[in-house]
Amino acid sequence: MSDLYPVPEGFAAQANVGKADYERDYAESVRDPNAFWARAAQRLEWMTPPTRIRDVSYDRGDFRIRWFADGELNASVNCLDRHLATRGDKTALVFEPDDPAAEPRHVTYRELHARVCRLANALRSLGVGKGDRVTIYLPMIVEAAVAMLACARIGAVHTVVFGGFSANSIADRVRDSGSKLVITADEGLRGGKKVPLKANVDAALKLPGTTSVETVLVVRHTGGAVDMQMPRDRWYDAVVDGQPDSCEPERMNAEDPLFILYTSGSTGKPKGVLHTTGGYLLYAAYTHWAVFDLKEDDVYWCTADVGWVTGHSYIVYGPLANGATALMFEGVPSYPDASRFWQVVDRHKVTIFYTAPTAIRALMRDGDEPVKRTSRASLRLLGSVGEPINPEAWRWYHEVVGDSRCPIVDTWWQTETGGILITPLPGAIDAKPGSATLPFFGVRPAIVDAAGNIQEGACEGNLVLLDSWPGQMRTVYGDDQRFFDTYFSTYPGMYFTGDGARRDEDGYYWITGRVDDVINVSGHRIGTAEVESALVLHPKVAEAAVVGFPHDVKGQGIYAYVTLVAGETESDELLKELVAHVRKEIGPIASPDFLQWAPGLPKTRSGKIMRRILRKIAENAPDQLGDTSTLADPSVVDSLVKNRQGA
Ligand code: 6R9
């Protein structure tokens, strides 16, 4: 096959996992998962080593997912204490500020350990203990990692909320998790613009159902003015400085919760994805070491935000559990210009770089010059995550960014999976642009048809996983039934990913995108139902239908059809007001790209909105509407086609 990028020989010769290792270990991992994962578990430092390894059933009535269930450990000890003897003076985190003229900072493992211990002690002094929930709403600063690890140290369950979410979204997450404490900052800084984090928290905590929060810790970051509401609000420094810089870690069972992270699904409010301590940490660490071919001297940079799962697993837990040097970048790829990423690479001699296709596509539009004016000689491996990468962007990433020298790992996974499931191992698996290639150890993907029949050979259908892996989510926080219904009821006995995929004649997987009502906007998951609920909350909106459409840079954009309450008039002002309303309800990341007035929506006679038709109109393919004979009123379609928005 011509479009194959073989593993470069030099890379293969030094790789952590070679071709023969992959083939042998993968075979063992699926033949005898207990033996395989018992051995893998030795990567972590356990207070009580596990003797029970895999305990899983996907069957209704007998449903359980447990890994290492009699083991005990502490995640922060694994990420910090155990490195002190050998890596105490090694840089754990490099902080690159938004402003390129500001000084970067280097935090050693010893310093990070002390900072985590001080905050952990402070949290205990504020009455936070094992099992309590803590909401973290911080910019990409070192304190975000410190806060996560301090929670882990005392057994508190963190729930990080991305800084691009609004007050309403914070309130939803605080309410659902029952958080006792919130850690935020005065303001964030992105691309020179201030983000009013503390003000958003203040607004969130005025909303009903948020009284569980007793304390708000505020990191002084930009120095901007904030309202401090005493005694609820405390300056982070005032509470943390003066605490002892050692702190007894909590003994956690492997199956004790580590964190909750909210993510969008096809129905209702975002789900609280719950991950536990042992399996998650092992899976994040193991994949980070194998997929990124981690070596002691690497400088590793993942450009994700800690508010997403990629930041959890591949900025904080995986890299730090492995004793790596990880870079945290506060800013955005386009500030002050399109060369920023590569300047940061040169400045810190980054060797491994992991980003999202949307960033690559955006930078590609600015041409090769902003890349070529930098050296990038330190780079040896590139990664991609968050959405399918189109072959054109893959080749540009490979040829222009990586000077045709660096392998690319296209890593497929989800918030729910905790870590990477399908990916090339860079020293073992030849790449094909646009394919996530083959499964990681222990992962058993399959493709099923609509009826759930497993397909053989080259085929296309829905992607399922036939067995568990240690990093799998354990439940939807507070809603075991929703967990089972969402992931295990569509195809009994299998985990349904919500993604479609194709498998080629070499057994390589090509993820084709979501097959449910989830839109992937710049790698961020947004449920159409969430945007619709936000729109209908507006008093002038009677009904709304939201679909995704192909977008050159974002992958997918958001297209909203809105029917007004009788008597209300369509106007450009109202259109702007509705977009602003969605930003307020969910956050800027959910802003519709296009909003079209819909005097009527295409519905079946039983009243179901036919999104298939709305998607085709949004993507400007009115000749592909398909069967419209079941429509209650076919005339609404003509008027929608005629008034379509966008290019
Ligand atoms: C890690 C993360 C998960 C959804 C997933 C899929 C899409 C992620 C991908 C990819 C194709 C890749 N996705 N990585 N699609 N190729 N390499 O992104 O988690 O935010 O939960 O999104 O993202 O559709 O189902 P999350």
Side-chain angles (χ1 to χ4, degrees):
M1 174 143 188
S2 60
D3 215 11
L4 194 72
Y5 287 69
V7 175
E9 268 172 41
F11 200 98
Q14 58 84 61
N16 288 351
V17 182
K19 192 167 194 288
D21 307 319
Y22 173 71
E23 283 166 5
R24 182 195 60 232
D25 289 357
Y26 181 78
E28 190 210 335
S29 73
V30 294
R31 189 180 59 242
D32 190 353
N34 279 304
F36 180 84
W37 288 109
R39 188 159 37 104
Q42 293 169 12
R43 292 177 170 272
L44 296 185
E45 185 175 294
W46 298 84
M47 292 161 166
T48 310
T51 62
R52 292 168 50 199
I53 307 302
R54 179 187 173 281
D55 179 16
V56 176
S57 161
Y58 285 173
D59 297 339
R60 193 189 287 276
D62 187 29
F63 184 80
R64 59 187 191 280
I65 302 173
R66 285 193 286 257
W67 285 88
F68 314 113
D70 61 350
E72 291 180 306
L73 76 167
N74 183 287
S76 85
V77 169
N78 275 277
C79 291
L80 301 167
D81 303 55
R82 72 165 161 156
H83 304 311
L84 293 182
T86 50
R87 302 183 175 112
D89 296 321
K90 178 174 176 177
T91 299
L93 294 173
V94 180
F95 173 68
E96 168 72 22
D98 183 60
D99 175 1
E103 270 306 297
R105 264 168 272 158
H106 292 253
V107 182
T108 63
Y109 272 95
R110 197 180 324 285
E111 185 190 343
L112 189 62
H113 173 264
R115 285 170 70 170
V116 168
C117 286
R118 286 200 289 271
L119 177 59
N121 287 322
L123 291 174
R124 275 192 180 141
S125 77
L126 292 164
V128 178
K130 182 170 177 175
D132 289 335
R133 276 80 59 214
V134 171
T135 295
I136 299 174
Y137 184 65
L138 283 171
M140 280 291 289
I141 56 178
V142 171
E143 281 81 0
V146 171
M148 292 163 75
L149 293 168
C151 288
R153 192 151 193 102
I154 63 171
V157 181
H158 59 71
T159 132
V160 182
V161 178
F162 174 58
F165 280 120
S166 68
N168 286 293
S169 292
I170 303 170
D172 285 344
R173 287 154 175 76
V174 163
R175 196 177 298 124
D176 188 77
S177 62
S179 284
K180 211 169 174 176
L181 185 138
V182 176
I183 306 179
T184 190
D186 45 10
E187 297 169 319
L189 203 55
R190 278 167 62 83
K193 293 199 197 75
K194 291 183 169 169
V195 187
L197 298 176
K198 172 61 164 64
N200 288 347
V201 170
D202 290 344
L205 298 186
K206 288 202 181 84
L207 296 170
T210 56
T211 49
S212 59
V213 174
E214 295 165 8
T215 311
V216 177
L217 289 186
V218 186
V219 176
R220 215 187 290 267
H221 178 52
T222 62
V226 293
D227 265 347
M228 293 296 276
Q229 182 186 312
M230 300 303 174
R232 185 194 72 186
D233 299 347
R234 314 279 293 268
W235 288 109
Y236 181 99
D237 287 352
V239 179
V240 168
D241 290 354
Q243 292 286 346
D245 53 18
S246 67
C247 170
E248 194 55 39
E250 199 73 37
R251 262 184 119 81
M252 303 297 284
N253 181 274
E255 284 298 339
D256 282 335
L258 180 62
F259 66 84
I260 302 166
L261 186 58
Y262 288 83
T263 193
S264 297
S266 49
T267 54
K269 293 247 180 221
K271 305 181 271 279
V273 169
L274 184 115
H275 282 288
T276 56
T277 306
Y280 169 81
L281 188 66
L282 172 63
Y283 198 76
Y286 191 6
T287 49
H288 180 256
W289 174 85
V291 175
F292 297 106
D293 190 52
L294 185 76
K295 301 294 190 312
E296 192 62 43
D297 293 332
D298 275 314
V299 177
Y300 161 88
W301 180 16
C302 164
T303 70
D305 189 284
V306 287
W308 306 112
V309 74
T310 306
H312 282 60
S313 302
Y314 299 115
I315 296 177
V316 179
Y317 287 110
L320 296 179
N322 289 330
T325 296
L327 190 141
M328 279 181 90
F329 176 43
E330 186 184 16
V332 297
S334 54
Y335 179 80
D337 63 40
S339 191
R340 184 69 191 273
F341 270 0
W342 326 121
Q343 283 168 9
V344 174
V345 165
D346 283 354
R347 179 182 221 174
H348 299 289
K349 301 281 175 286
V350 171
T351 57
I352 306 169
F353 179 76
Y354 188 31
T355 196
T358 185
I360 299 166
R361 286 192 301 263
L363 294 172
M364 226 171 116
R365 287 202 311 188
D366 289 305
D368 299 0
E369 189 277 331
V371 189
K372 292 295 181 195
R373 82 168 101 113
T374 62
S375 151
R376 290 156 289 107
S378 54
L379 288 175
R380 66 181 195 92
L381 178 62
L382 303 172
S384 171
V385 62
E387 46 170 325
I389 179 164
N390 44 311
E392 191 196 358
W394 194 102
R395 287 196 196 91
W396 187 82
Y397 197 26
H398 185 257
E399 284 156 27
V400 180
V401 175
D403 284 325
S404 304
R405 178 185 73 241
C406 310
I408 295 180
V409 288
D410 174 3
T411 63
W412 175 83
W413 60 295
Q414 313 178 296
T415 306
E416 293 88 337
T417 71
I420 295 163
L421 295 196
I422 304 184
T423 179
L425 295 183
I429 299 171
D430 300 336
K432 295 183 189 180
S435 171
T437 76
L438 298 174
F440 191 73
F441 301 128
V443 175
R444 291 175 55 205
I447 290 180
V448 295
D449 65 14
N453 302 305
I454 294 179
Q455 309 292 294
E456 302 296 334
C459 58
E460 183 160 354
N462 288 345
L463 182 65
V464 297
L465 298 159
L466 301 180
D467 202 348
S468 180
W469 61 99
Q472 184 169 27
M473 75 183 278
R474 298 300 195 262
T475 193
V476 171
Y477 183 67
D479 200 344
D480 295 343
Q481 192 60 47
R482 188 172 175 198
F483 178 50
F484 184 86
D485 292 347
T486 306
Y487 303 101
F488 303 94
S489 67
T490 317
Y491 303 116
M494 309 171 194
Y495 168 88
F496 177 40
T497 62
D499 279 319
R502 181 165 75 76
R503 189 173 51 219
D504 70 16
E505 58 288 353
D506 296 324
Y508 276 36
Y509 288 86
W510 301 72
I511 312 298
T512 50
R514 301 290 306 193
V515 293
D516 54 7
D517 289 319
V518 171
I519 316 182
N520 192 327
V521 183
S522 300
H524 302 155
R525 273 165 71 165
I526 310 216
T528 53
E530 266 176 273
V531 184
E532 289 166 5
S533 325
L535 283 166
V536 297
L537 275 179
H538 192 283
K540 294 185 179 167
V541 173
E543 198 168 29
V546 169
V547 297
F549 69 96
H551 187 288
D552 285 350
V553 172
K554 300 182 193 180
Q556 280 188 297
I558 303 179
Y559 196 107
Y561 299 86
V562 173
T563 309
L564 292 178
V565 168
E568 295 297 343
T569 333
E570 300 162 0
S571 70
D572 288 349
E573 290 72 59
L574 183 55
L575 196 145
K576 288 198 192 96
E577 185 180 320
L578 292 180
V579 172
H581 172 77
V582 173
R583 293 170 74 92
K584 177 167 166 284
E585 286 297 324
I586 306 175
I589 56 167
S591 305
D593 297 270
F594 295 109
L595 196 149
Q596 176 174 357
W597 303 119
L601 289 168
K603 289 185 187 168
T604 60
R605 285 184 202 101
S606 62
K608 272 188 103 167
I609 295 176
M610 294 182 75
R611 287 161 198 290
R612 172 174 63 77
I613 292 180
L614 294 174
R615 273 194 287 268
K616 288 296 174 196
I617 298 174
E619 53 186 72
N620 202 12
D623 48 328
Q624 295 167 30
L625 295 183
D627 181 12
T628 52
S629 62
T630 53
L631 276 173
D633 175 8
S635 73
V636 300
V637 172
D638 301 333
S639 111
L640 289 178
V641 168
K642 209 164 76 226
N643 296 308
R644 179 185 167 273
Q645 306 291 297

